[in-house]
Structure formats: structure tokens, C-alpha cells
Amino acid sequence: MRDFDAGLTLFDSAQAFHWRPIGDEFVAVVNGHIMTAADDDDFARDYFDDFRDYTKLIDECADFPIAKKAVEMLKGLRVLNQPTWEALIAFILSANNNVPRIRSLVYACSREYGEAYEYKGEILYGFPSPEKLASADEAEMQRITRCGYRARYLIQTARSVCDGFPLDEIKNMPFDEARRMLMTLMGVGGKVADCVLLFGCRFSQAFPVDVWVERLMNKWFSVEGSREHIRREAVRLLGNNCGLIQQALFHAARTGLIEL
DNA sequence: TGGCAGGGTCATA
DNA sequence: TATGACCCTGCC
């Protein structure tokens, strides 16, 4: 695969939290199958977004030197096409947490409620199913996983999915409608919805605004105001692939590659 | 060791 | 639309 930086994309970029370095490779359970960063079947290439031409992205942010710089510096950073449910669970857990703790919460929930798999002597866990989470006890989940108030979000959202919420149809809806639908789920506000749309529904115009993106949009794009306002301005300025650009900007800001 | 901040959301007014 | 509460912990 051309220009694919597995460590950057799967581990450092904080768009997925369940990939683990084992030996000299990255491994995770995706959709009930063990997957490695070296896989290159059609499913893997799609998951790693290998069918997109990322060189075009540099031209798309030509009007914004800081964006162009971030995209150029982070060649090899892909935006993943994760299963919607997996992105949903991970980003509900992400709320008001730092990256190391999100990783540990995703792990704890998977270990407790997901299926175990063995790979080269290591145990890996898949994401818990909606059914499994829907029947979980809130207090017990809090005690075991330490996920705090997010236990209620997880359980309620899992119950909605079990009760017929059309999660698999979200990716085929118009963007605004998809976003509104996701936000009816417990624990899903605008930011989490945008992450699910970007990382789990192929909407490259989704633009998650967190504390880092808020700061960099203030400093480098002179955009201030509510996060919803910042999001709309980003779409207007950067276009329909603003989510892909956001990912480069987010990582550059968080790691000090660009000043804040 | 204390205290802040973290890929926010919800309830309330 | 704006404000405060919220589980817990990584990190300075």
C-alpha cells in the first residue's frame, strides 16, 4: 500500500483505540476477525482507506498554508473506515477523556464484554456486541471497567440499536440527517457524532471539533465562537474533505508539529 | 501530592 | 443558547 503509515494511523492518531503493537506489527480484532496492518485483501484496503488518492488532498487545502503543511508532513496518515458500531462505542467512551484512558476503557469493555482471540500467544478482544452491552448491569460495568457515567450511555445506546435503531443505514443517509440521527443516541453529542461519521461512516465532510481543533481554528483560521459554528466554518473553508484535513491538523496540533 | 485537563454530553433554565 | 455536574485518571 502506498504511503500508509500504520503506526501513525492505527495507534498514534487516536481515531481507533484497539490496535495493539505485537512484535513488529499492529494487530486488532475488527468485525470478529483478527486483522494486521499488513493485510491487503479488499476488506483491509477499504478499512485502511487505500482506494483514496491522498495526493489530491494537498491541492484541496492550497489556500491554507497551515493545512497544507500538516497534510504534507503527515503523508501516510489515513482516515479509517471502521465498522460504525465499533467507532460508536469507542467515541462514546472518548467523551471528556484523554487518549491513554480512552484506550484503557476500550480495552476494559472489550475484555469484559467482548470475545477473546489468540494471536501469536497474545490475547486480543473484539468489541462487545450490542446485545451483550444491552443486557449489562450499569453498576457492575462501572465497577469493572471504571468507565464512570459513560456506562449508562453505552447501555442505553446498545439498547437503542437492539430495538431497531438503523445503525447500518446511517452511512447511506444525507449527511445532516445522519448526524441528527446519531445525536438521538444517548452519549452522542455533536463531537462524538462527527467522529462516528468520519471514522465509521465514510463522511469525509464530518469535522470533529474538540479542544485541540478549537484552538487551532482560533489561531490559524481566525474562526471563533461555538464548536458548532467552528464546524460549519471549517466545512465552508476547507470543503467536502475537511474531515481528512482535520485529521492531519488535529494530529499536528496535539503532537506540537504546529504551534498553538 | 495537589490540581488541572482530557478527541464532551446531559439536564436545566 | 449558556451554565454546571459529572466518573475517573494521566500528567505536570
Side-chain angles (χ1 to χ4, degrees):
Chain A
M1 282 180 222
R2 58 200 186 210
D3 283 338
F4 173 46
D5 187 329
L8 174 60
T9 300
L10 300 173
F11 199 78
D12 297 329
S13 75
Q15 46 180 315
F17 305 92
H18 59 305
W19 282 83
R20 273 182 50 195
I22 295 179
D24 60 350
E25 50 188 354
F26 286 92
V27 187
V29 177
V30 176
N31 260 351
H33 297 283
I34 293 173
M35 202 174 160
T36 82
D39 291 356
D40 68 346
D41 55 283
D42 278 357
F43 178 84
R45 292 191 63 196
D46 182 59
Y47 183 97
F48 298 136
D49 207 29
D50 196 44
F51 296 113
R52 184 192 302 279
D53 182 3
Y54 276 77
T55 60
K56 285 185 189 165
L57 204 54
I58 295 172
D59 301 328
E60 290 179 31
C61 46
D63 292 341
F64 301 94
I66 194 66
K68 191 175 176 205
K69 179 182 168 190
V71 171
E72 279 178 333
M73 281 194 302
L74 296 165
K75 280 200 183 91
L77 173 60
R78 302 288 185 79
V79 172
L80 298 171
N81 295 130
Q82 303 179 57
T84 307
W85 169 250
E86 299 189 356
L88 179 59
I89 294 310
F91 282 95
I92 284 176
L93 287 170
S94 80
N96 201 235
N97 269 151
N98 51 34
V99 173
R101 192 159 106 99
I102 300 167
R103 198 166 273 133
S104 80
L105 292 184
V106 169
Y107 179 79
C109 288
S110 300
R111 182 194 59 208
E112 192 58 29
Y113 300 103
E115 300 280 327
Y117 298 78
E118 196 237 316
Y119 183 78
K120 296 188 177 175
E122 301 279 339
I123 303 297
L124 300 166
Y125 299 94
F127 278 89
S129 66
E131 294 74 18
K132 187 79 178 180
L133 286 186
S135 63
D137 179 74
E138 183 180 333
E140 187 178 68
M141 184 185 288
Q142 286 183 320
R143 183 173 56 76
I144 294 171
T145 68
R146 318 299 297 163
C147 69
Y149 55 79
R150 299 166 197 79
R152 189 164 61 93
Y153 299 167
L154 241 38
I155 292 169
Q156 286 300 322
T157 284
R159 287 180 181 164
S160 297
V161 171
C162 289
D163 289 345
F165 181 91
L167 192 61
D168 292 332
E169 294 164 34
I170 294 286
K171 66 168 72 68
N172 298 319
M173 293 178 184
F175 177 77
D176 291 330
E177 187 185 343
R179 191 168 189 270
R180 272 196 301 275
M181 277 293 285
L182 279 175
M183 287 177 67
T184 64
L185 292 169
M186 177 70 65
V188 181
K191 160 64 172 61
V192 170
D194 286 325
C195 288
V196 175
L197 292 165
L198 182 59
F199 306 127
C201 299
R202 307 165 179 278
F203 283 107
S204 56
Q205 69 268 51
F207 192 90
V209 181
D210 66 343
V211 290
W212 297 101
V213 173
E214 182 173 8
R215 286 174 199 154
L216 80 86
M217 290 300 289
N218 291 168
K219 179 173 172 71
W220 293 99
F221 294 80
S222 303
V223 175
E224 300 192 30
S226 70
R227 292 192 174 182
E228 176 61 16
H229 172 71
I230 293 172
R231 181 182 77 84
R232 279 201 286 261
E233 280 297 287
V235 181
R236 188 175 68 79
L237 295 171
L238 295 170
N240 272 329
N241 285 328
C242 60
L244 309 180
I245 298 167
Q246 183 271 10
Q247 203 46 197
L249 285 168
F250 165 74
H251 189 268
R254 201 168 71 87
T255 57
L257 249 43
I258 62 177
E259 242 180 281
L260 286 182

